[in-house]
Amino acid sequence: MPQSNYREPHISTWRRARTVLIEFWKRGLDPRFLWYRVKFRWAPKLDVVTRFPSHLDLELSDACNLRCIMCIQGIEDGVKGAGNMDTAFAKRLLDQGARHGLRSIKLNWRGEPALHKDMVEIIRYAKSKRIPDVQMNTNGLLYDAERIRAIILAGLDRVIFSMDGATKETYERIRVRASYEKLRENVLLFWSIRKTLGRVRPFIRIQMVRMKENAHEVEQFIAMWKPYVDDIRVMDAYSASSEARTFSVGDQVPVGRAVCPQPWQRMIVSRDGKVLPCCSDWHREWIIGDATQEDLTAIWRGKRMTALRNLLRQRRLDESAPCNHCFVKDSYVWARVTEENKDELLSRAKQYGY
């Protein structure tokens, strides 16, 4: 399966490899984590459908306290009828995953997981089920020292903070309703409380979506966070829709489609139990099952998921939603724009929304 040749801006390949090795060491050289990462990477490349997904995204909440300009929450002013996942249901999903050897979960999808009052309890329950990689993406605002301490003691393995700017002005213009000062305070609290407790986890990552509004701050962003986090990521904003022209920096553009790896790696269970094949299906256009009624194993190998994999194998991504307006970088072939190839590449990129 040909994969995307996208490169993270300003983050070298050797640095990414070094970060992976450091995280593996901090996890106590856990072979279950290593095997999970091998399967996650190679199952799509070898077209192997494992008996259960390597990773599950559990949408603890589809509500959000922010209205970021590049997200469904900002573009559409929130998910309609948003709420929180039932705690007992979340635990039943974790029970299923544990029985089938689940190795990784992320406690969010379209919303902010910290809005769930039982988030710490769910983290603790997941770790009691011996799931090696329990992680979450967060905007980092809804915390205080007491809650941060509880999260660390519950056993969270990785926390990923989203901060799309190095200055207050840029960050708060992109992340509408956010507080630059509060986020900085909370990231530093995670770092200092973890150190005080003598822990090496959660592994702390901070990331930026690079777009026209903040591209000039990437180097400053990396420099300001290097002493206080374990990992820094910088990714381009891209969407195969009108938003692409709004946000994309344009120095690397999509020129073809690749076989997206996600349907061989993961499933998303939305807050109400509907199951999706990938993180880009914001509007739930390709529902593959209902986890309130069906076993996750049956959904993973079911007709709807198999049909999507066949569509991808045949490179027919542009024929059906959500693939035809996907924003996952790995579902495209990318090229770097130079003065010499600019006209040719931009012409090819037009058919993918750029």
Side-chain angles (χ1 to χ4, degrees), residues 132-308:
D133 194 18
V134 178
Q135 54 182 303
M136 66 177 182
N137 280 77
T138 177
N139 58 48
L141 297 167
L142 302 177
Y143 303 93
D144 56 23
E146 181 180 357
R147 198 179 196 195
I148 291 170
R149 179 183 176 87
I151 288 169
I152 295 172
L153 292 176
L156 186 71
D157 293 291
R158 183 189 293 129
V159 58
I160 303 168
F161 295 101
S162 297
M163 185 180 187
D164 301 307
T167 64
K168 177 179 175 67
E169 179 185 14
T170 299
Y171 165 71
E172 293 184 1
R173 184 168 62 247
I174 295 170
R175 296 221 157 224
V176 178
R177 302 184 184 176
S179 166
Y180 178 85
E181 293 82 6
K182 183 61 176 174
L183 178 56
R184 278 187 57 86
E185 175 189 349
N186 284 342
V187 176
L188 295 176
L189 273 174
F190 262 93
W191 183 259
S192 62
I193 293 173
R194 187 185 72 172
K195 184 176 180 180
T196 300
L197 292 172
R199 302 293 185 100
V200 295
R201 289 178 284 178
F203 195 80
I204 300 171
R205 175 190 294 169
I206 195 161
Q207 62 189 28
M208 167 191 275
V209 177
R210 187 181 72 134
M211 57 190 86
K212 291 173 182 175
E213 289 83 351
N214 63 13
H216 62 289
E217 294 185 358
V218 170
E219 295 291 356
Q220 183 182 352
F221 178 83
I222 294 171
M224 71 184 282
W225 286 114
K226 213 170 184 179
Y228 303 112
V229 298
D230 300 299
D231 189 20
I232 301 171
R233 297 199 71 172
V234 179
M235 300 159 291
D236 283 323
Y238 179 71
S239 173
S241 66
S242 59
E243 288 92 49
R245 291 181 292 275
T246 302
F247 299 128
S248 177
V249 175
D251 54 4
Q252 50 185 352
V253 297
V255 294
R257 299 306 301 266
V259 179
C260 180
Q262 290 202 24
W264 283 263
Q265 297 170 328
R266 72 202 301 174
M267 291 192 302
I268 286 84
V269 184
S270 61
R271 187 264 300 177
D272 60 2
K274 297 297 188 290
V275 183
L276 292 306
C278 73
C279 67
S280 80
D281 194 1
W282 277 351
H283 296 99
R284 310 200 308 180
E285 297 169 281
W286 194 292
I287 294 174
I288 58 174
D290 186 341
T292 66
Q293 306 294 325
E294 305 168 76
D295 186 87
L296 290 173
T297 304
I299 297 172
W300 176 244
R301 290 179 166 269
K303 290 182 179 180
R304 291 282 288 169
M305 191 61 146
T306 300
L308 180 60

